[in-house]
Amino acid sequence: MIYRIFSEKKTGYDIEARNLFKDLKENLNISELKALKIVSRYDVEGISKIGYETAKISVFSDPATDIVTDEEYPLAPDEYAFAVKYLPGQYDQRSDSAEQCVMSATGETARIESAKLYVCGGPLSPGAIQLIEDYCVNPVDSMKAPLEKPESVFSPANIPNDIPVLQGFIDKTEAETNALAVDMALAMSGADLNFCREYFRDTEHRDPTLTEIRVIDTYWSDHCRHTTFLTEISEIDIEDGPYAHVIKEALNLYRTEKAKLDDRENKPVCLMDIAVMGMQVLKSRGMLPDLDESDEINACSIVVPAEVDGRTEDWLVMFKNETHNHPTEIEPFGGAATCLGGAIRDPLSGRSYVYQAMRVTGSGDPRTPVEHTPPGKLPQRKITQSAARGFSSYGNQIGLAAGQISEIYDEGYIAKRMEIGAVIGAAPKTRVKREPPAEGDVVILAGGRTGRDGCGGATGSSKEHTERSLFSCGAEVQKGNPLVERKLQRLFRNHKASLLIKRCNDFGAGGVAVAVGELADGLDIDLDKVSKKYEGLDGTELAISESQERMAVITSRRDAETFIKLAGDENLEAAII
């Protein structure tokens, strides 16, 4: 049996509805709209009547602030209602949290599907209704939900498809391979894919599987490989202008210092080399004595002596910034939330605790009328406000203070939003052990489960986008789960767990293929051991999904059981993969 419940904020507590009502009146100029209510709708299955009645006032509503309605929501004759839910495969934190709370409150396991019901007071014309729906439903991650109660919210058992072999790939012509790169929407160019074709033809002597091409495409993306920054620059011309002399001086200084360094004179000029040259020069002069260097790639870190309880000890202080321009452009709330979540995970994988953040963003004028929005774009106001809510939501749930928030408004950001989150973390140096992996060691996946959210995120941020991107790139945006990341923070602050870790990598761009693949030179990964949010994920999806809040941890085989138990004490799933 399915129970349906509607939970609506009482007058005075309905802040979200009031803000949206004002937004629709002022920005969409819908004079016909007389009132607006936002109602949380839950369809609950697999729970007893007693359990439902208990959860109704302890999980789905707060009697002090909410009005609760069972089964049918009463609509006035002049009211119009539509419901919105996440697309299949997108992570729904509200439903997930509700299921966990029902388990805690009643001891029963329920399957819950949530949606938002927008109740608009009118009467409204068809044109006004369409404007409101278009503004409230972002097709990247959401869809209109049926108003009728479903027969079941349990998903049918899905059997994943076998991974296909790209038959005839090695026999294709260059033109056919170029066309295939376009058909598969790869981040790789046709020339890149032809290089792969020649490799499989001349070295492997076989056609590749779809997974192999998708994994190569992920690794080869600008996000993972920094293709743009590593591209060799053979000639630099500086145009005349007010800053030309400054740029020329900087370029001459770069070339002069590069020639002085023993191991860099013959390295090609590229943006990456230009970016790190200052650090290389300072290091060669002995001016970076506090720089912490290791084989782990977590975050920039320095060693700082700190006084703790009357004695001085060395601490690792880690810095990290994350850009989520593309995800925030197409799905502002999730993009900005995972910008912060991703920035936190890098120092966290270095076993440090992140204690402060900074946010710098670039946007077009959010006061621009909605009708002036370019085709295929979200309105600047919606991007700006939703992104702010996403960053704030993640920070509040994980318990992180942002010391500086700066929003820059300029027409140049209409083409692509800028979303930067920067964080600082720290940990006692004695709590961080770094050892090279040895034969027989194991990789443990700890944290969140894997879903389809984030499939193609690395490659998506590396592609040229069109006005169709808003409708075709939904799966590329990850959904953050800050509550799981808080559990990871607690686990890694426990020295009994942190000192079992030889090496760690967070699951960012590229998912399992990249996060685990970067840990050691040779690995066998068992994708069947990767925990899933739902059934039906195939091997390619399990390999490249960028579902958030996961860590790849190397321990010795003898320490694995202890680490998994310590993870379980924090209500975290962990398994050897």
Side-chain angles (χ1 to χ4, degrees):
M1 178 180 179
I2 293 180
Y3 297 98
R4 171 166 280 188
I5 183 172
F6 298 90
S7 180
E8 172 190 351
K9 292 298 178 187
K10 295 176 180 178
T11 302
Y13 297 97
D14 55 343
I15 298 171
E16 182 184 6
R18 289 190 196 183
N19 289 339
L20 180 58
F21 176 74
K22 182 181 179 182
D23 209 7
L24 295 172
K25 295 284 284 187
E26 292 181 356
N27 292 295
L28 271 65
N29 298 314
I30 304 176
S31 58
E32 309 159 48
L33 185 65
K34 302 298 188 294
L36 179 72
K37 292 179 283 189
I38 299 178
V39 185
S40 295
R41 188 184 81 185
Y42 303 93
D43 290 326
V44 187
E45 189 174 6
I47 191 173
S48 68
K49 178 67 174 176
I50 296 175
Y52 170 69
E53 292 296 336
T54 299
K56 185 161 67 172
I57 58 173
S58 62
V59 175
F60 301 115
S61 67
D62 179 350
T65 63
D66 297 329
I67 301 168
V68 175
T69 307
D70 285 300
E71 296 305 322
E72 293 288 340
Y73 187 85
L75 292 176
D78 61 349
E79 287 182 330
Y80 169 77
F82 65 97
V84 179
K85 68 176 184 177
Y86 282 119
L87 291 169
Q90 289 280 6
Y91 174 65
D92 181 358
Q93 186 183 6
R94 181 179 289 271
S95 296
D96 183 25
S97 296
E99 290 174 0
Q100 294 184 52
C101 290
V102 167
M103 170 63 77
S104 297
T106 69
E108 299 184 42
T109 301
R111 179 74 179 101
I112 300 171
E113 185 177 271
S114 71
K116 273 189 177 181
L117 186 72
Y118 294 86
V119 182
C120 308
L124 298 171
S125 66
I129 289 173
Q130 191 63 54
L131 278 174
I132 295 171
E133 290 184 355
D134 288 346
Y135 194 74
C136 293
V137 183
N138 182 354
V140 166
D141 74 331
S142 304
M143 61 182 286
K144 280 185 65 178
L147 295 178
E148 301 79 19
K149 191 164 70 171
E151 294 182 4
S152 175
V153 295
F154 282 99
S155 301
N158 292 317
I159 300 174
N161 296 321
D162 291 334
I163 301 301
V165 174
L166 300 182
Q167 300 290 349
F169 177 79
I170 60 176
D171 297 321
K172 289 185 180 295
T173 65
E174 184 173 329
E176 289 173 333
T177 309
N178 290 339
L180 181 63
V182 175
D183 291 342
M184 294 180 67
L186 299 176
M188 284 192 287
S189 66
D192 293 332
L193 192 58
N194 270 292
F195 180 88
C196 295
R197 174 179 59 85
E198 292 169 5
Y199 168 80
F200 278 98
R201 182 192 63 200
D202 301 337
T203 305
E204 296 289 332
H205 310 295
R206 63 173 177 83
D207 290 318
T209 65
L210 175 63
T211 301
E212 287 174 310
I213 294 300
R214 291 293 184 195
V215 168
I216 292 171
D217 193 42
T218 299
Y219 258 109
W220 219 317
S221 68
D222 205 358
H223 195 300
C224 295
R225 184 172 170 263
H226 301 301
T227 309
T228 301
F229 283 92
L230 292 171
T231 297
E232 183 175 348
I233 301 173
S234 57
E235 185 176 341
I236 300 176
D237 293 321
I238 300 172
E239 296 179 353
D240 290 334
Y243 303 107
H245 69 286
V246 177
I247 298 173
K248 288 178 181 177
E249 287 178 8
L251 182 60
N252 289 334
L253 179 61
Y254 160 73
R255 286 169 171 162
T256 301
E257 295 297 339
K258 182 181 176 70
K260 294 178 182 178
L261 296 175
D262 295 335
D263 60 340
R264 301 193 76 83
E265 185 176 1
N266 296 322
K267 287 196 173 185
V269 176
C270 63
L271 293 175
M272 185 69 79
D273 193 61
I274 293 172
V276 302
M277 180 55 62
M279 184 197 70
Q280 294 290 340
V281 172
L282 292 174
K283 184 179 175 182
S284 69
R285 295 176 182 174
M287 298 173 68
L288 292 178
D290 56 352
L291 181 65
D292 174 58
E293 295 185 80
S294 76
D295 291 334
E296 271 193 324
I297 306 171
N298 305 112
C300 176
S301 58
I302 59 174
V303 181
V304 176
E307 185 177 317
V308 180
D309 297 330
R311 61 186 182 86
T312 300
E313 59 183 35
D314 285 341
W315 279 61
L316 293 178
V317 177
M318 297 192 176
F319 308 84
K320 181 65 169 67
N321 72 280
E322 180 99 358
T323 58
H324 258 213
N325 304 338
H326 163 66
T328 309
E329 172 79 18
I330 66 173
E331 205 287 87
F333 187 97
T338 53
C339 177
L340 179 58
I344 292 170
R345 272 195 315 280
D346 283 291
L348 178 57
S349 67
R351 279 78 85 197
S352 69
Y353 178 76
V354 172
Y355 59 89
Q356 65 171 320
M358 176 177 71
R359 180 174 184 245
V360 181
T361 60
S363 166
D365 189 341
R367 301 168 299 180
T368 303
V370 172
E371 58 267 25
H372 295 165
T373 303
K377 293 278 187 179
L378 294 174
Q380 291 298 307
R381 184 185 185 93
K382 187 171 183 66
I383 295 175
T384 298
Q385 292 185 332
S386 297
R389 286 195 294 270
F391 188 94
S392 176
S393 173
Y394 202 103
N396 286 337
Q397 290 185 74
I398 201 168
L400 177 65
Q404 178 169 333
I405 305 289
S406 296
E407 181 95 1
I408 303 166
Y409 302 113
D410 188 276
E411 288 187 1
Y413 293 115
I414 296 174
K416 177 63 73 70
R417 176 172 181 88
M418 178 176 72
E419 185 73 34
I420 298 173
V423 298
I424 299 178
K429 191 174 181 182
T430 55
R431 298 283 183 90
V432 180
K433 182 178 73 173
R434 296 180 177 127
E435 294 180 1
E439 187 174 352
D441 288 346
V442 297
V443 178
I444 298 171
L445 190 160
R449 294 185 173 187
T450 300
R452 292 191 174 93
D453 46 308
C455 281
T459 52
S461 62
S462 306
K463 297 175 189 173
E464 179 179 344
H465 288 276
T466 69
E467 63 183 56
R468 291 295 306 162
S469 298
L470 188 63
F471 305 97
S472 62
C473 299
E476 295 174 2
V477 181
Q478 312 94 327
K479 292 293 181 186
N481 188 340
L483 302 182
V484 171
E485 191 145 303
R486 281 187 69 177
K487 297 174 188 177
L488 286 168
Q489 282 186 326
R490 288 197 299 267
L491 175 66
F492 279 37
R493 293 188 83 183
N494 181 350
H495 70 279
K496 294 178 181 178
S498 67
L499 290 176
L500 299 179
I501 300 172
K502 288 186 169 186
R503 186 172 289 182
C504 181
N505 204 3
D506 78 294
F507 279 73
V512 171
V514 175
V516 182
E518 288 178 343
L519 287 171
D521 292 336
L523 290 160
D524 290 321
I525 303 172
D526 187 348
L527 293 177
D528 289 332
K529 300 293 178 59
V530 175
S531 62
K532 302 180 287 292
K533 293 178 179 177
Y534 34 75
E535 294 302 317
L537 297 177
D538 64 28
T540 304
E541 292 168 323
L542 288 171
I544 67 172
S545 167
E546 296 175 21
S547 289
Q548 301 290 281
E549 287 74 51
R550 299 177 295 164
M551 290 287 183
V553 172
I554 290 184
T555 73
S556 67
R557 186 170 291 278
R558 69 175 180 275
D559 290 333
E561 185 178 345
T562 303
F563 185 87
I564 291 172
K565 181 184 181 303
L566 291 169
D569 291 343
E570 296 292 351
N571 197 25
L572 279 170
E573 294 183 345
I576 296 173
I577 63 169

